[in-house]
Each structure stands twice: as structure tokens, then as C-alpha cells.
Amino acid sequence: MSLPPEFALIARHFRPLAGPGALDLLDDAALLDPPPGRQLVLAADAMVEGVHFLPADPPETVGRKLLRVNLSDLAAMGAEPLGYLMTTSLPRGVADSWIAGFVAGLAEDQRIFGLSLLGGDTTATPGPACLSLTILGTVPPGQALRRAGARPGDAVWVSGTLGDGALGLRVLRGELPGDAEGHLARRYRLPEPRLALSRALRGLARAALDVSDGLVQDLGHLCRAAGCGAEIEAAAVPLSPPARALVEEDPARLLLALTGGDDYELLFAAPAGAEAEVARRAAAAGTPVMRIGRFVAGPPEVTVRGRDGAPLTLAREGWSHF
Amino acid sequence: MSLPPEFALIARHFRPLAGPGALDLLDDAALLDPPPGRQLVLAADAMVEGVHFLPADPPETVGRKLLRVNLSDLAAMGAEPLGYLMTTSLPRGVADSWIAGFVAGLAEDQRIFGLSLLGGDTTATPGPACLSLTILGTVPPGQALRRAGARPGDAVWVSGTLGDGALGLRVLRGELPGDAEGHLARRYRLPEPRLALSRALRGLARAALDVSDGLVQDLGHLCRAAGCGAEIEAAAVPLSPPARALVEEDPARLLLALTGGDDYELLFAAPAGAEAEVARRAAAAGTPVMRIGRFVAGPPEVTVRGRDGAPLTLAREGWSHF
């Protein structure tokens, strides 16, 4: 009695990803002894072909992006990765080589970030590939970074550079100059979860999240959670050299850095006066950070000021699926 | 600054499902203090519209089935429910009433089974609805039921009745007589996770799983895990009265009870001679059980014997997505 094709596929491709507790993916569920003295941190994000990744994206980066957008949720909480479960709904005719590439990408990032597959499910779909991942992490009790907690006067900080992902998507779609091997396309396909930085900010950052739907919209989440507003300087928003070149060519593209999403950078509040300490911890974590504005008393609104100090009017604040 | 539509949808529909640790679905992840002195049990199952449920199925039962197929994985391990994360990829034009019904079904089953939503993600898809759920449960350390452990001579037991789900699907498709409000269709739409029975079998059952892909195929999983074979009597396989009526009309339909899947009954091994104890515990759990065969020495093959004792030849052993 040989294995049905579905289980042969799981054994061939997914079992090598399985870690302790996964029971070789042979049981109905995984068994995990929770690490003593830690809180669990749990998040789940889905990616749909044609919505969150492009059909032509290499399967390796699709797997890595799926894991990384979830790792970025752990980063937003200051947590450390523990393991993950994954469900993949794939078109019935999916090439074996696509699955092999997808799994190879996951395997590489498992090594880099130190976690492994605990379990999941593989199904067919008549539609586009639909991938869902649930990530588990841990944090010392009471030390998770939260969205609520910013206070008027706190500085608004962001890691890395913004807009690369949104610009990279347009490069890959042929709407902007550039190629699929360039920095921007790579940033769209392979975000960098800011795990080291977020751990370093425990006890210092008053609030944090990861920018996934656009800087202005996500900063609005911090404002609503805090019951205050925020003002940022458009000119202070950090751009990569290729992004800066595109924005200098057409300043309207700056809006993509402010509202485009797919950044997976850490956005956080830190007390005024803590600039040197933030810089010191970020440098120790090897992650560039930039102060881009401040939280202000008032309604939960985000004001973006241009070079002349006047507020910019934004056509949209960020991404919404509905 | 009002909430973007996606977040308004989450606040309106999903936040009422959120339990302790979910942080009102306002953070990037949930925070959970693992219950002391317990092992965690983790499983994830996806459901795709047109594959695992029908477009015309009421959204209430779609939500409940999504939760119940995952609860059935906890039952397979003898675990108790703790919480769940869910990602929903929905067609952009999905009716608000569909989401409301889906959530109402989840809310009802949260009350019945004693668990709540911890987190997740809501995205759009250009394809059919794609739903993924990760469930967390707990079990006393070392007491989980596992797939491996059956020994030659052990009895093969199954809970409830088999074939109802597979027959119900054909009723709903109009391929068999019956209606959408009948027992079979209801069993397709609303499986019954055998949580009370599985807890009662801890320490007695030597191996267990839930029948999701077909009795013969899933019994094959127990055989492979144990390194032995199994023989079952087709006539002993428990059928509900409506299923029995359909099988008497056309005996070929018995194959659906043997290989059709969508049963979510507990299949388990118990030592020969433990019949009375199994029956006692099952009665206390309020769940009917039936002894349908035994494990035998030999290769991991499943033999199904007809009324004359001769092995039946099955065109297929169960469901495979690929």
C-alpha cells in the first residue's frame, strides 16, 4: 500500500522542514513543550498569488517572503521565533519544481532565523495559490512591544528605508524603470524582518509595529492606540539610493514611500531625549534607524509636512484589501 | 482619520470573537501565557470554496466546519481546545452578510467548544474563498494520543457512523436523493469533533487519528506508523439509517463509507480484551463506538472483507488532493 500522492508530496518536500515537536508531520498535530518562563507570541498572515506576490516571482522568494512577513509580526512585538505552521492551497497542476523551490527558500530562512516547521496542511485549489502561515515566538513576560503606549512628545522612529517594496512591485510590473535583479525588486520579494532591532528596543520603545500597509496608515494605528496625533517630515523619511533617484525624477513617487506598504520596517515611539540611546541600541543591532517626527496631543491624525512646513494632502493613506 | 475598510471589517466582524491574549486584534500578534504543566498541541487545516465546502453552503456552517475540522485534529491527539488563529482570503465583492454569518457560526462553536480567536489576517483574493485555521490545544505531558502504537492483535475501533459526509456531499450536488436539510447533508456541513471520547481514551487507546480522507486510507496511516497490517469487516462499519438506506438501494455506495472521507470520526486501536473498558468509557463520553476489525502482523496493508469473508477490491482508498 503506497502513499497517496498528497502524502508522498508532504513526505518528499515538507518533512525535511519539520523540527522538534512536529512528529515528522506524521501525526494529526504537533506537540510542543512551551519554553518555561516565557510568554507565547502568535501571529498569522496569508499571501495570495497575484495579490501579495507575483506569479513570476521565484518560488524561493515566495516561501521566504511568507515566512518573513510573519517574522516581521514577531519583530513588531519584540519576540524571538520559535516555530510555525503553514497551509498551502496550490493549483492542482503546480510543478514539482515550484514546490521544491518554495521549500528551499523556507529551509534557507529557517536556518537564518532559527525556527522550524511544526505542522500544517496541503490542499488543492481551483484558484491562485493561497498560502497561510501561523508563527509562534516567545518573549520574556511583560516585555512585548505593543501598539499602544506612545505619548505626545515622543519621537517617531523608523528602521531601514521606506518605499522600496512598493517601488519594487512597480518595477516588476514594468511600470517603473529597473530590473527584477535590482535592489527595489529584491526588497519587494524579500523583506527584512527587524528582529534584532526589536529585541534591542525592549524596555525603551513605548510602542511599535511593523509597516506593512503604508507608513501613514500604520502610524495612524499607533496614534489611535495612543489617543494622540503625529507629525512627520516627508523629507526625513529614509529612502534607499534607487528609491531616491526615482523620487527625484518624479516627486509624486514619494507618496509610495509614505503610503505604499510592503516595507516591513519597524515603526516605533521612543521618549524625547532618548535619541542617543536609540541610536546606540540600533547600531548594536546593526540596523539603521531614523527619527522622522513626533507624536502630538490631539485627535489620532497623521500630518505629513513638506519641505516648506505645509501639510501634504495624500490621496490615500495606505493599503486596504476591502 | 477613519479606519480603512479592511480594519473596519475586522473591528466589526472579527473583534467580537477575540478572547484573552488576542489584545482585541489591535496588535501585530497575540500574547499567551501557556497553561502551566501542559503540553501544547498545534494543528492547521485549510478549506477552499468548491473543494472543502460548496459555494451554496450557509456561511454559518462554513465557519463551524473550519473550526470543527481543526478541533477534530485536537480530538485525534486527545487534546483540549485553547484558542485559534485564522486567515481568511475572501473574494473582493464578498457580501457583508456572508462574513456576518461565517462569524456567527464561529461564535456559536466557540461557546460550545470553549475556545476563542487569538489573531489572524484578512485579505482579498481574485479566486475562491480560501480559509486557514491554526488551532492550539493542550494535553497533560506524555498523554497525547499518537498515530504510532497499534500492535498486531489490537482491535480497530471507530466512533459514530461513517460515510455520512461523503454521501451528504453527493446529496448536496444532486447526485443522490435527499435534501440540504437532511441528516447526510448536515453531517457534510457540520462534522462532530470527538473531543470527549478522545479525552476518555487517554491511557487506553494505543493509537488514534481522525478519519478525514477515508477510512481505508486513514487506517493505512495507522498501519504504516505501527509497521503492521489491519483487517476490517465491511459489514461492521457503522452506518447511519439514511446512509444504510442508500447503501441497501445500491451496495456500491458502501465504498463511500470506506473511502469517501469527510467523516471526522475517531479511528483508534485498543488492546484485545479491553472491549468492555472501551465501551464503558465511550458511553461515559456519550459517543457510540464500534469494533470493526483488528490489526494483524504483516506489511502495512488494509484488507476489507465482505460478508463472505473474501477481500473486497477498492477502486481507491481515499482522498488525495494531488
Coordinates of all heavy atoms in Angstrom, one line a residue, chain A residues 1 4-7 23 26-33 39-46 48 76-77 87 89 92 120-121 123-125 130 132 134 146-147 209-210 213 217 220 300 320-322, chain B residues 1 4-7 26-33 39-46 48 76-77 87 92 120-121 123-125 130 132 134 146-147 209-210 213 217 220 224 300 320-322:
Chain A
M1 N 0.9 -1.2 0.0 CA 0.0 0.0 0.0 C 0.9 1.2 0.0 O 1.5 1.6 1.0 CB -0.8 0.0 1.3 CG -1.9 1.0 1.3 SD -3.1 0.5 2.7 CE -3.9 2.1 3.0
P4 N -0.5 7.8 -0.8 CA -1.3 8.6 -1.8 C -0.4 9.8 -2.2 O 0.4 10.2 -1.4 CB -2.5 9.0 -1.0 CG -2.6 8.2 0.2 CD -1.2 7.7 0.5
P5 N -0.6 10.3 -3.4 CA 0.3 11.4 -3.9 C 0.4 12.5 -2.9 O 1.5 13.1 -2.8 CB -0.4 11.8 -5.2 CG -1.2 10.6 -5.6 CD -1.6 9.9 -4.4
E6 N -0.7 12.9 -2.3 CA -0.7 14.1 -1.4 C 0.3 13.8 -0.3 O 1.1 14.8 0.1 CB -2.1 14.3 -0.8 CG -2.1 15.5 0.2 CD -3.5 15.6 0.8 OE1 -4.5 15.2 0.1 OE2 -3.7 16.2 1.8
F7 N 0.4 12.6 0.3 CA 1.2 12.3 1.4 C 2.7 12.1 1.0 O 3.6 12.4 1.7 CB 0.7 11.2 2.2 CG -0.7 11.5 2.7 CD1 -1.8 11.1 2.1 CD2 -0.9 12.3 3.9 CE1 -3.1 11.5 2.5 CE2 -2.1 12.7 4.3 CZ -3.3 12.3 3.6
L23 N 6.8 15.9 15.1 CA 6.5 14.5 15.0 C 6.6 14.0 13.5 O 5.8 13.2 13.0 CB 5.1 14.2 15.5 CG 4.7 14.8 16.9 CD1 3.3 14.5 17.3 CD2 5.7 14.3 18.0
L26 N 3.8 13.3 10.8 CA 3.0 12.1 10.7 C 1.8 12.0 11.5 O 0.9 11.2 11.3 CB 4.0 10.9 11.0 CG 5.0 10.6 10.0 CD1 6.0 9.5 10.5 CD2 4.4 10.1 8.7
D27 N 1.7 12.9 12.5 CA 0.5 12.8 13.4 C -0.5 13.9 12.9 O -0.3 14.6 11.9 CB 0.9 13.0 14.9 CG 1.2 11.7 15.5 OD1 2.3 11.1 15.3 OD2 0.4 11.1 16.2
D28 N -1.6 14.0 13.7 CA -2.6 15.0 13.3 C -2.3 16.4 13.8 O -2.9 17.4 13.4 CB -4.0 14.6 13.9 CG -4.5 13.3 13.2 OD1 -5.1 13.4 12.1 OD2 -4.2 12.2 13.7
A29 N -1.3 16.5 14.7 CA -1.0 17.8 15.3 C 0.5 17.7 15.8 O 1.0 16.6 15.9 CB -1.9 18.1 16.4
A30 N 1.0 18.8 16.1 CA 2.4 18.9 16.7 C 2.2 18.9 18.2 O 1.2 19.3 18.8 CB 3.1 20.1 16.2
L31 N 3.3 18.5 18.9 CA 3.4 18.6 20.4 C 4.5 19.5 20.8 O 5.6 19.3 20.3 CB 3.6 17.2 20.9 CG 2.4 16.2 21.1 CD1 2.9 14.9 21.6 CD2 1.4 16.8 22.1
L32 N 4.2 20.4 21.6 CA 5.3 21.4 22.0 C 5.3 21.6 23.5 O 4.2 22.0 24.1 CB 5.0 22.7 21.2 CG 6.0 23.8 21.3 CD1 7.2 23.4 20.5 CD2 5.4 25.1 20.7
D33 N 6.4 21.5 24.1 CA 6.6 21.9 25.5 C 6.9 23.4 25.4 O 8.0 23.8 25.0 CB 7.7 21.1 26.1 CG 7.4 19.7 26.3 OD1 6.4 19.4 27.0 OD2 8.1 18.8 25.8
Q39 N 6.4 34.2 27.7 CA 5.1 34.3 27.0 C 5.1 33.9 25.6 O 6.2 34.1 24.9 CB 4.6 35.7 27.1 CG 4.0 36.1 28.4 CD 3.4 37.5 28.4 OE1 4.1 38.5 28.0 NE2 2.1 37.7 28.8
L40 N 4.1 33.3 25.1 CA 4.0 33.0 23.7 C 3.5 34.2 22.9 O 2.6 34.9 23.4 CB 3.1 31.8 23.4 CG 3.6 30.4 23.9 CD1 2.5 29.3 23.7 CD2 4.8 30.0 23.1
V41 N 4.0 34.3 21.7 CA 3.6 35.4 20.8 C 3.1 34.7 19.5 O 3.9 33.9 19.0 CB 4.7 36.4 20.5 CG1 4.2 37.5 19.6 CG2 5.2 37.0 21.8
L42 N 1.9 35.0 19.1 CA 1.3 34.2 18.0 C 0.7 35.2 16.9 O 0.0 36.1 17.3 CB 0.2 33.4 18.5 CG 0.5 32.3 19.6 CD1 -0.6 32.2 20.5 CD2 0.9 31.0 18.9
A43 N 1.1 34.9 15.7 CA 0.5 35.8 14.6 C 0.3 34.9 13.3 O 0.9 33.8 13.2 CB 1.5 36.9 14.2
A44 N -0.6 35.3 12.5 CA -0.8 34.6 11.2 C -1.0 35.6 10.1 O -1.8 36.6 10.2 CB -2.1 33.7 11.4
D45 N -0.4 35.3 9.0 CA -0.5 36.1 7.8 C -0.7 35.2 6.6 O 0.0 34.2 6.5 CB 0.7 37.1 7.6 CG 0.5 38.4 8.3 OD1 -0.6 38.9 8.3 OD2 1.5 38.9 8.8
A46 N -1.6 35.6 5.6 CA -1.8 34.9 4.4 C -1.2 35.6 3.2 O -1.1 36.9 3.3 CB -3.2 34.6 4.2
V48 N -1.6 35.7 -1.1 CA -2.3 35.1 -2.3 C -1.6 35.5 -3.6 O -1.2 36.7 -3.7 CB -3.8 35.7 -2.3 CG1 -4.5 35.2 -3.6 CG2 -4.5 35.3 -1.1
A76 N 7.6 43.1 15.4 CA 6.8 44.2 15.9 C 6.5 44.1 17.4 O 6.2 45.1 18.1 CB 5.5 44.2 15.2
M77 N 6.6 42.8 17.9 CA 6.3 42.6 19.3 C 7.6 42.4 20.2 O 7.5 42.1 21.4 CB 5.4 41.3 19.5 CG 4.1 41.3 18.7 SD 2.9 42.5 19.3 CE 2.3 41.6 20.7
T87 N -0.3 26.4 5.9 CA -1.2 25.7 5.0 C -1.0 26.2 3.6 O -0.8 27.4 3.4 CB -2.7 25.9 5.4 OG1 -3.1 27.2 5.2 CG2 -3.0 25.4 6.8
S89 N -2.5 26.1 -0.2 CA -3.5 25.7 -1.2 C -3.0 26.0 -2.6 O -2.8 27.2 -2.9 CB -4.8 26.4 -0.9 OG -5.3 26.1 0.4
R92 N -3.9 22.6 -8.8 CA -3.7 21.2 -8.9 C -2.5 20.8 -9.8 O -1.8 19.8 -9.6 CB -4.9 20.5 -9.5 CG -5.2 19.1 -8.9 CD -6.6 18.6 -9.3 NE -7.6 19.3 -8.6 CZ -8.1 18.7 -7.4 NH1 -7.7 17.6 -7.0 NH2 -9.1 19.3 -6.8
G120 N 0.9 21.5 9.5 CA 0.1 22.2 8.5 C -0.7 21.3 7.7 O -1.0 20.2 8.1
D121 N -1.0 21.8 6.5 CA -1.9 21.2 5.6 C -1.6 21.6 4.2 O -1.2 22.7 3.9 CB -3.4 21.6 6.0 CG -4.5 20.9 5.3 OD1 -4.2 19.7 4.8 OD2 -5.6 21.5 5.2
T123 N -3.4 21.5 0.4 CA -4.7 21.2 -0.4 C -4.5 21.7 -1.8 O -3.6 22.5 -2.1 CB -5.9 21.9 0.3 OG1 -6.0 23.2 -0.1 CG2 -5.9 21.8 1.8
A124 N -5.5 21.3 -2.6 CA -5.5 21.8 -4.0 C -6.5 23.0 -4.0 O -7.4 23.1 -3.1 CB -6.0 20.7 -4.9
T125 N -6.4 23.9 -5.0 CA -7.4 24.9 -5.2 C -7.6 25.2 -6.7 O -6.6 25.0 -7.4 CB -6.9 26.2 -4.5 OG1 -7.8 27.3 -4.9 CG2 -5.5 26.7 -5.0
C130 N -2.7 30.0 -2.6 CA -3.1 30.7 -1.3 C -2.4 30.1 -0.2 O -2.5 28.9 0.1 CB -4.6 30.6 -1.2 SG -5.3 31.5 0.2
S132 N -0.8 30.3 3.8 CA -1.1 30.9 5.1 C -0.1 30.4 6.1 O 0.2 29.2 6.1 CB -2.6 30.5 5.6 OG -2.8 31.0 6.8
T134 N 1.2 30.5 10.3 CA 1.0 30.9 11.7 C 2.3 30.8 12.4 O 2.9 29.7 12.3 CB 0.0 30.1 12.4 OG1 -1.3 30.3 11.8 CG2 -0.2 30.5 13.9
R146 N 4.2 46.8 22.3 CA 2.8 46.9 22.0 C 2.5 48.1 21.1 O 3.3 49.0 21.0 CB 2.0 47.0 23.3 CG 2.2 45.8 24.2 CD 1.5 44.5 23.7 NE 0.1 44.9 23.5 CZ -0.9 44.9 24.4 NH1 -0.6 44.5 25.7 NH2 -2.1 45.2 24.1
R147 N 1.3 48.1 20.5 CA 1.0 49.2 19.7 C 0.6 50.4 20.5 O 0.8 51.6 20.1 CB -0.2 48.9 18.7 CG 0.2 48.0 17.6 CD -0.9 48.0 16.5 NE -0.4 47.2 15.4 CZ -1.1 47.0 14.3 NH1 -2.3 47.6 14.1 NH2 -0.6 46.3 13.3
L209 N 5.1 48.8 15.8 CA 4.5 47.9 14.9 C 5.4 47.8 13.6 O 6.4 48.5 13.5 CB 3.1 48.4 14.5 CG 2.8 49.7 13.9 CD1 3.5 50.0 12.6 CD2 1.3 49.9 13.7
D210 N 5.1 46.9 12.8 CA 5.8 46.8 11.5 C 5.0 47.4 10.4 O 3.8 47.2 10.3 CB 6.2 45.3 11.2 CG 5.1 44.5 10.8 OD1 4.0 44.6 11.5 OD2 5.2 43.7 9.9
D213 N 1.3 48.1 5.6 CA 0.3 48.6 4.7 C 0.5 50.1 4.3 O -0.4 50.7 3.7 CB -1.1 48.5 5.5 CG -1.5 47.1 5.7 OD1 -1.2 46.2 4.9 OD2 -2.2 46.8 6.7
Q217 N -0.7 55.1 7.1 CA -1.8 54.3 7.7 C -1.4 53.6 9.0 O -2.1 53.6 10.0 CB -2.3 53.3 6.7 CG -3.4 52.4 7.1 CD -4.1 51.7 6.0 OE1 -4.5 52.3 5.0 NE2 -4.0 50.4 6.0
G220 N -1.0 55.8 11.8 CA -2.4 56.1 12.3 C -2.8 55.0 13.3 O -3.5 55.3 14.3
P300 N -6.4 61.5 16.8 CA -5.5 60.5 16.2 C -5.3 60.7 14.7 O -5.8 59.9 13.9 CB -6.1 59.2 16.5 CG -7.6 59.5 16.7 CD -7.7 60.9 17.2
S320 N -5.6 48.9 1.7 CA -6.7 48.2 2.3 C -7.2 47.1 1.3 O -7.4 47.4 0.1 CB -7.9 49.1 2.6 OG -9.0 48.4 3.1
H321 N -7.5 45.9 1.9 CA -7.9 44.8 1.0 C -9.3 45.0 0.5 O -9.8 44.4 -0.4 CB -7.7 43.4 1.6 CG -6.4 42.9 1.5 ND1 -5.9 42.4 0.3 CD2 -5.3 42.8 2.3 CE1 -4.7 41.9 0.4 NE2 -4.3 42.2 1.7
F322 N -10.1 45.8 1.3 CA -11.5 45.9 1.0 C -12.0 47.3 1.0 O -11.3 48.2 1.4 CB -12.4 45.1 2.1 CG -12.1 43.6 2.1 CD1 -11.2 43.0 2.9 CD2 -12.7 42.8 1.1 CE1 -10.9 41.7 2.8 CE2 -12.5 41.5 1.1 CZ -11.6 40.9 1.9
Chain B
M1 N -9.4 60.9 11.1 CA -8.8 59.8 10.3 C -9.6 58.5 10.6 O -9.4 57.9 11.7 CB -7.3 59.6 10.7 CG -6.5 58.7 9.9 SD -4.8 59.0 10.2 CE -4.1 57.5 9.6
P4 N -9.5 52.4 7.8 CA -9.6 51.9 6.4 C -10.6 50.8 6.4 O -10.8 50.1 7.4 CB -8.2 51.4 6.1 CG -7.3 51.9 7.1 CD -8.1 52.2 8.3
P5 N -11.3 50.5 5.3 CA -12.3 49.5 5.2 C -11.9 48.1 5.8 O -12.7 47.5 6.5 CB -12.7 49.4 3.7 CG -12.2 50.7 3.2 CD -11.1 51.2 4.0
E6 N -10.7 47.7 5.5 CA -10.2 46.4 5.9 C -10.3 46.3 7.5 O -10.7 45.3 8.0 CB -8.8 46.1 5.4 CG -8.2 44.8 5.9 CD -6.8 44.6 5.4 OE1 -6.4 45.3 4.4 OE2 -6.0 43.9 6.0
F7 N -9.9 47.4 8.1 CA -9.8 47.3 9.6 C -11.1 47.5 10.2 O -11.4 47.0 11.3 CB -8.7 48.3 10.1 CG -7.4 48.0 9.5 CD1 -6.9 48.6 8.3 CD2 -6.6 47.0 10.0 CE1 -5.7 48.3 7.8 CE2 -5.4 46.7 9.5 CZ -4.9 47.3 8.3
L26 N -5.8 44.2 18.0 CA -5.2 45.5 17.7 C -3.7 45.5 17.5 O -3.1 46.5 17.0 CB -5.6 46.6 18.8 CG -7.1 47.0 18.7 CD1 -7.4 47.8 20.0 CD2 -7.4 47.8 17.5
D27 N -3.0 44.5 18.0 CA -1.6 44.4 17.9 C -1.2 43.6 16.7 O -2.0 43.1 16.0 CB -1.0 43.9 19.2 CG -0.7 45.1 20.2 OD1 -1.7 45.6 20.8 OD2 0.5 45.5 20.3
D28 N 0.1 43.4 16.5 CA 0.6 42.6 15.4 C 0.5 41.1 15.7 O 0.6 40.3 14.8 CB 2.0 43.0 15.1 CG 2.1 44.4 14.5 OD1 1.9 44.5 13.2 OD2 2.3 45.3 15.2
A29 N 0.4 40.8 17.0 CA 0.4 39.4 17.4 C -0.4 39.2 18.7 O -0.7 40.2 19.4 CB 1.8 38.9 17.5
A30 N -0.7 38.0 19.0 CA -1.4 37.7 20.3 C -0.3 37.4 21.4 O 0.8 36.9 21.0 CB -2.3 36.5 20.1
L31 N -0.7 37.5 22.6 CA 0.2 37.2 23.7 C -0.5 36.2 24.6 O -1.6 36.4 25.0 CB 0.5 38.4 24.6 CG 1.6 39.4 24.1 CD1 1.6 40.6 25.1 CD2 2.9 38.7 24.1
L32 N 0.2 35.0 24.8 CA -0.4 33.9 25.5 C 0.5 33.4 26.6 O 1.6 33.0 26.3 CB -0.8 32.8 24.5 CG -1.6 31.7 25.0 CD1 -3.0 32.1 25.3 CD2 -1.6 30.6 23.9
D33 N 0.0 33.3 27.8 CA 0.7 32.6 28.9 C 0.4 31.2 28.8 O -0.8 30.8 29.0 CB 0.4 33.2 30.3 CG 0.9 34.6 30.5 OD1 2.1 34.8 30.4 OD2 0.1 35.5 30.7
Q39 N 1.4 20.2 27.8 CA 2.0 20.3 26.5 C 1.0 21.0 25.6 O -0.2 20.9 25.7 CB 2.3 18.9 26.0 CG 3.6 18.3 26.5 CD 3.9 17.0 25.8 OE1 3.1 16.1 25.7 NE2 5.1 16.9 25.2
L40 N 1.6 21.8 24.7 CA 0.8 22.4 23.6 C 0.6 21.4 22.5 O 1.5 20.7 22.1 CB 1.4 23.7 23.1 CG 1.4 24.9 24.0 CD1 2.2 26.0 23.4 CD2 0.0 25.4 24.3
V41 N -0.6 21.5 21.9 CA -0.9 20.7 20.7 C -1.4 21.6 19.6 O -2.2 22.5 19.9 CB -2.1 19.7 21.0 CG1 -2.4 18.8 19.8 CG2 -1.7 18.8 22.2
L42 N -0.7 21.5 18.4 CA -0.9 22.5 17.4 C -1.2 21.9 16.1 O -0.5 21.0 15.6 CB 0.4 23.4 17.2 CG 0.8 24.1 18.5 CD1 2.4 24.2 18.5 CD2 0.2 25.5 18.5
A43 N -2.3 22.4 15.4 CA -2.6 21.8 14.1 C -3.1 22.9 13.2 O -3.6 24.0 13.7 CB -3.6 20.7 14.2
A44 N -3.1 22.8 11.9 CA -3.6 23.8 11.0 C -4.3 23.0 9.8 O -3.7 22.1 9.2 CB -2.5 24.7 10.5
D45 N -5.5 23.5 9.4 CA -6.1 22.9 8.3 C -6.7 24.1 7.5 O -7.3 25.0 8.0 CB -7.3 22.0 8.7 CG -6.8 20.6 8.8 OD1 -5.9 20.1 8.0 OD2 -7.3 19.9 9.7
A46 N -6.7 24.0 6.1 CA -7.3 25.0 5.3 C -8.5 24.4 4.6 O -8.7 23.2 4.4 CB -6.2 25.4 4.2
V48 N -11.0 25.4 1.1 CA -11.1 26.2 -0.1 C -12.5 26.0 -0.7 O -13.0 24.9 -0.7 CB -10.1 25.7 -1.2 CG1 -10.2 26.5 -2.5 CG2 -8.7 25.9 -0.7
A76 N -8.0 13.9 17.7 CA -7.2 12.8 17.3 C -6.0 12.7 18.3 O -5.4 11.6 18.4 CB -6.6 13.1 15.9
M77 N -5.6 13.8 19.0 CA -4.5 13.7 19.9 C -4.9 13.6 21.3 O -4.1 13.7 22.2 CB -3.6 15.0 19.7 CG -3.2 15.3 18.3 SD -1.9 14.1 17.7 CE -0.4 14.7 18.5
T87 N -6.8 32.8 9.1 CA -6.6 33.8 7.9 C -7.7 33.5 7.0 O -8.0 32.4 6.6 CB -5.2 33.7 7.2 OG1 -5.1 32.4 6.6 CG2 -4.1 33.8 8.2
R92 N -13.2 39.8 -3.4 CA -13.3 41.3 -3.0 C -14.7 41.7 -2.8 O -15.0 42.5 -2.0 CB -12.6 42.1 -4.1 CG -12.0 43.4 -3.6 CD -11.1 44.0 -4.7 NE -9.8 43.3 -4.9 CZ -8.7 43.6 -4.3 NH1 -8.7 44.7 -3.5 NH2 -7.6 43.0 -4.5
G120 N -5.0 36.7 13.5 CA -5.1 36.3 12.1 C -5.0 37.4 11.1 O -4.4 38.4 11.4
D121 N -5.5 37.2 10.0 CA -5.3 38.1 8.9 C -6.5 38.0 7.9 O -7.1 36.9 7.8 CB -4.0 37.7 8.1 CG -3.6 38.6 7.0 OD1 -3.9 39.8 7.1 OD2 -2.9 38.2 6.1
T123 N -7.5 39.0 4.0 CA -7.0 39.5 2.7 C -8.1 39.3 1.6 O -9.0 38.5 1.8 CB -5.7 38.8 2.2 OG1 -6.0 37.6 1.6 CG2 -4.8 38.6 3.4
A124 N -7.9 40.0 0.5 CA -8.7 39.7 -0.7 C -8.1 38.7 -1.6 O -6.9 38.4 -1.5 CB -8.9 41.0 -1.5
T125 N -8.9 38.0 -2.4 CA -8.3 37.1 -3.4 C -9.1 37.2 -4.7 O -10.4 37.4 -4.6 CB -8.3 35.6 -2.9 OG1 -8.0 34.8 -4.0 CG2 -9.7 35.2 -2.4
C130 N -10.6 31.2 0.5 CA -9.6 30.3 1.0 C -9.4 30.6 2.4 O -9.0 31.7 2.8 CB -8.3 30.6 0.2 SG -7.0 29.4 0.5
S132 N -8.0 29.5 6.3 CA -7.0 28.7 7.0 C -7.1 28.9 8.5 O -7.2 30.0 8.9 CB -5.6 29.0 6.5 OG -4.6 28.3 7.2
T134 N -5.4 27.8 12.4 CA -4.4 27.1 13.2 C -5.0 27.0 14.6 O -5.4 28.0 15.2 CB -3.1 27.9 13.2 OG1 -2.6 27.9 11.9 CG2 -2.1 27.2 14.2
R146 N -1.4 9.2 19.9 CA -0.5 9.3 18.7 C -0.9 8.3 17.6 O -1.6 7.4 17.9 CB 1.0 9.0 19.2 CG 1.5 9.9 20.2 CD 1.9 11.3 19.7 NE 2.8 11.1 18.5 CZ 4.1 11.0 18.6 NH1 4.7 11.0 19.8 NH2 4.8 10.9 17.6
R147 N -0.4 8.5 16.4 CA -0.7 7.6 15.3 C 0.0 6.3 15.4 O -0.5 5.2 15.0 CB -0.4 8.2 14.0 CG -1.4 9.3 13.6 CD -1.2 9.6 12.1 NE -2.2 10.6 11.7 CZ -2.4 11.0 10.5 NH1 -1.6 10.6 9.5 NH2 -3.3 11.9 10.2
L209 N -6.4 8.5 15.2 CA -6.4 9.6 14.3 C -7.9 9.9 14.0 O -8.8 9.2 14.4 CB -5.6 9.4 13.0 CG -5.8 8.2 12.1 CD1 -7.2 8.1 11.6 CD2 -4.8 8.2 11.0
D210 N -8.1 11.0 13.3 CA -9.5 11.3 12.9 C -9.6 11.0 11.4 O -8.7 11.3 10.6 CB -9.9 12.7 13.2 CG -9.1 13.8 12.4 OD1 -7.9 13.6 12.2 OD2 -9.8 14.7 11.9
D213 N -9.8 11.6 5.4 CA -9.6 11.3 4.0 C -10.2 10.0 3.5 O -10.0 9.6 2.4 CB -8.1 11.4 3.6 CG -7.5 12.7 3.8 OD1 -8.3 13.7 3.6 OD2 -6.3 12.8 4.2
Q217 N -7.9 4.6 3.8 CA -6.6 5.3 3.7 C -6.1 5.7 5.0 O -4.9 5.6 5.3 CB -6.8 6.6 2.8 CG -5.6 7.4 2.6 CD -5.8 8.5 1.5 OE1 -6.0 8.1 0.3 NE2 -5.7 9.7 1.8
G220 N -4.7 2.9 6.9 CA -3.4 2.7 6.4 C -2.3 3.5 7.1 O -1.2 3.1 7.3
R224 N 1.0 2.0 8.7 CA 2.4 2.4 8.4 C 3.1 2.8 9.7 O 4.3 2.5 9.9 CB 2.4 3.5 7.4 CG 2.4 2.9 5.9 CD 2.5 4.1 4.9 NE 1.4 5.0 5.0 CZ 0.3 4.8 4.3 NH1 0.2 3.8 3.4 NH2 -0.7 5.6 4.4
P300 N 2.1 -3.2 6.0 CA 1.1 -2.2 6.3 C 0.1 -2.1 5.3 O 0.0 -1.1 4.5 CB 2.0 -0.9 6.5 CG 3.2 -1.1 5.6 CD 3.4 -2.6 5.6
S320 N -7.1 12.2 -2.1 CA -5.8 12.8 -2.3 C -6.0 14.1 -3.1 O -6.6 14.1 -4.1 CB -4.8 11.9 -2.9 OG -3.6 12.6 -3.2
H321 N -5.4 15.2 -2.6 CA -5.5 16.5 -3.3 C -4.7 16.5 -4.6 O -4.9 17.3 -5.4 CB -5.1 17.6 -2.4 CG -6.2 18.1 -1.5 ND1 -7.3 18.8 -2.0 CD2 -6.5 17.9 -0.2 CE1 -8.1 19.1 -1.0 NE2 -7.7 18.5 0.1
F322 N -3.7 15.6 -4.6 CA -2.8 15.7 -5.8 C -2.6 14.3 -6.5 O -2.9 13.3 -5.8 CB -1.4 16.3 -5.4 CG -1.5 17.7 -4.9 CD1 -1.6 18.0 -3.6 CD2 -1.5 18.7 -5.9 CE1 -1.8 19.3 -3.2 CE2 -1.6 20.1 -5.5 CZ -1.8 20.4 -4.1

